[in-house]
Amino acid sequence: MKTFSRLILLLACVWAACRHATAQTYSQQSFQVLNLASHPRGAALGESQTIADSTDLFAWMTAPAMLNGNNTRRAAFGFQSLREGMTYSSATMVLALRQQYPLGIGIRYLNYGKMDATDASGQSTGTFRAADYVIEIGSAHRMGNYGIGLTAKWVNSQIAEYGAHGFAMDLNAVFIHPTADFHFSVLLKNIGFATAAVGQSTTPLPFDARISSIFKPAHMPVRFYLTLSRLHDWQQTKGIEGASEWLSHTGVGADILLHKAFQLQVGFDGQRNQSLRYRDFSHRAGWSLGFRLLLRRLQVSYALSGYQAGYPRHFWGLQIHW
């Protein structure tokens, strides 16, 4: 308990420092690829959710404290096709350098596709490409019912000949109940800074302070997820008041355990719902659903979510064991 108390104190100090340094709105932040769910199950439960599941290899990318040294000899991949030739893909694997300190390696790639280049008069001068890359390395240590994890990230954004880099880390502490199926997590996400070439300006990384809980009633085939996000700056939601303000910081999700080999997921992201709302109509923005099929050496996952009416996002994932 003394070790965990010191850990919480450390996270609180870092939180306070980051709150002072990142009092910015989301529109003033860079590298939004860091806000995208890294895998289909995370997208299906809501992109702000913390996933704590030893069977899901991608889970450590949302909660590094859940890294497990038993998750070796596995690899996971995710792919999503977006509009206008854009694609989003991810991959991860876990190495057991030491049983107490497993090492997770993850890669994310957001390809914006080919774009037309024009001069000042509007005449075509060819094409160019744009893309974002994220490489992340994480490790964790378990102390009885408590765990601590850290992820270091390098992110690169490239548009034609212009580019910028960012360096960030995630700090995560988790409590796992010894008998009940209950997790409580504190996550400080994207603590870091961005750099750019001479003559270019940068904006802050999308820092996020979250608390999350996961609970499964003993005799109910449903696991519930609740996350409060962006706690470091409640004023990021200027113009939203009352219940809508709370809703914009809230994410909820559920795993419906129909069978040991088949699960359904449903989620709601309040921040996305409120930001895309137009005249009190949200076009179902913020809602998501998906499924996961668990076989002996293979897992297939799928998520359906959307940012606009009439164009849902399809996110597929594959996990292989050997």
Side-chain angles (χ1 to χ4, degrees):
M1 179 63 71
K2 182 182 294 186
T3 301
F4 189 70
S5 299
R6 291 174 179 172
L7 173 62
I8 292 297
L9 179 60
L10 173 62
L11 291 177
C13 292
V14 176
W15 181 348
C18 293
R19 179 174 181 177
H20 176 74
T22 60
Q24 306 286 337
T25 63
Y26 268 22
S27 62
Q28 295 174 310
Q29 294 176 335
S30 57
F31 301 109
Q32 291 295 319
V33 63
L34 294 171
N35 285 328
L36 296 178
S38 57
H39 60 302
R41 186 156 169 250
L45 289 168
E47 294 192 3
S48 65
Q49 295 297 344
T50 296
I51 311 299
D53 188 339
S54 61
T55 67
D56 190 336
L57 196 62
F58 271 115
W60 74 268
M61 296 173 76
T62 65
M66 297 308 300
L67 257 172
N68 191 328
N70 296 324
N71 277 341
T72 58
R73 302 178 66 85
R74 301 182 184 185
F77 312 90
F79 179 80
Q80 189 173 49
S81 179
L82 305 173
R83 300 196 67 174
E84 307 299 334
M86 295 174 58
T87 59
Y88 176 55
S89 51
S90 55
T92 185
M93 64 184 304
V94 176
L95 306 177
L97 301 182
R98 293 179 58 186
Q99 186 68 22
Q100 300 89 343
Y101 299 98
L103 183 69
I105 301 174
I107 300 174
R108 286 186 269 169
Y109 173 56
L110 177 59
N111 176 23
Y112 295 99
K114 188 181 296 185
M115 304 180 189
D116 294 328
T118 60
D119 58 21
S121 64
Q123 297 298 315
S124 176
T125 59
T127 60
F128 65 94
R129 291 187 174 273
D132 290 342
Y133 311 80
V134 182
I135 298 176
E136 43 199 307
I137 299 175
S139 188
H141 181 59
R142 185 68 59 85
M143 302 164 287
N145 297 325
Y146 303 96
I148 180 173
L150 183 146
T151 300
K153 308 177 191 178
W154 174 78
V155 55
N156 176 65
S157 183
Q158 194 74 31
I159 303 176
E161 70 271 22
Y162 302 100
H165 307 278
F167 300 90
M169 66 178 179
D170 296 349
L171 288 175
N172 180 219
V174 64
F175 165 73
I176 304 171
H177 196 279
T179 56
D181 192 343
F182 174 79
H183 297 71
F184 180 80
S185 174
V186 178
L187 175 64
L188 303 181
K189 189 176 179 66
N190 301 325
I191 306 168
F193 60 92
T195 63
V198 176
Q200 299 181 40
S201 61
T202 61
T203 52
L205 298 178
F207 172 75
D208 198 353
R210 303 176 180 176
I211 56 174
S212 303
S213 62
I214 306 172
F215 175 63
K216 180 188 177 299
H219 304 290
M220 192 174 187
V222 181
R223 181 174 289 110
F224 297 99
Y225 297 77
L226 172 65
T227 296
L228 294 178
S229 61
R230 296 177 292 113
L231 299 178
H232 63 288
D233 191 354
W234 209 261
Q235 297 305 313
Q236 287 184 355
T237 54
K238 291 180 180 179
I240 303 178
E241 299 179 354
S244 295
E245 183 177 31
W246 276 93
L247 184 64
S248 69
H249 291 266
T250 304
V252 294
D255 258 327
I256 305 171
L257 312 177
L258 298 179
H259 187 272
K260 65 179 181 179
F262 186 75
Q263 304 170 356
L264 291 177
Q265 291 87 38
V266 61
F268 175 76
D269 189 314
Q271 192 275 331
R272 193 195 312 170
N273 176 270
Q274 291 298 307
S275 63
L276 299 180
R277 181 174 293 273
Y278 177 70
R279 293 182 178 178
D280 296 325
F281 187 59
S282 63
H283 298 284
R284 300 183 299 277
W287 290 96
S288 54
L289 55 89
F291 70 82
R292 185 165 65 135
L293 178 64
L294 297 88
L295 305 177
R296 183 176 181 181
R297 295 188 179 276
L298 188 71
Q299 289 186 27
V300 178
S301 53
Y302 168 78
L304 175 68
S305 60
Y307 284 99
Q308 65 186 85
Y311 197 87
R313 297 191 307 162
H314 303 278
F315 200 169
W316 288 94
L318 180 68
Q319 181 170 312
I320 303 171
H321 306 184
W322 65 87

